[in-house]
């Protein structure tokens, strides 16, 4: 494999890693409702 092919593979892997990071970040920060049931009763929190 020549050097350009190696650079291409590295660039593609970096782009995939960045894209996956952005996707996970956005999924974690989506607004939503969290419902917890515990000893203190029912708790509803809006994120």
């Amino acid at each position: 494999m020549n050097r350009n092919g190696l650079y291409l593979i590295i660039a593609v892997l970096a782009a995939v890693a960045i894209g996956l990071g952005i996707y996970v970040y956005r999924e974690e920060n989506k607004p939503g409702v969290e419902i917890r049931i515990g000893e203190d009763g029912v708790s509803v929190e809006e994120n």
Side-chain angles (χ1 to χ4, degrees), residues 5-41:
L6 185 59
Y7 289 146
L8 178 64
I9 291 173
I10 292 171
V12 168
L13 289 175
V16 168
I18 291 170
L20 183 61
I22 292 170
Y23 173 76
V24 169
Y25 176 78
R26 293 189 72 187
E27 287 295 317
E28 289 291 323
N29 291 319
K30 274 188 177 178
V33 176
E34 181 178 335
I35 301 172
R36 281 189 256 154
I37 301 172
E39 293 179 11
D40 299 330

Side-chain angles (χ1 to χ4, degrees), residues 31-35 44-47:
V33 176
E34 181 178 335
I35 301 172
V44 179
E45 293 182 14
E46 191 171 331
N47 296 345

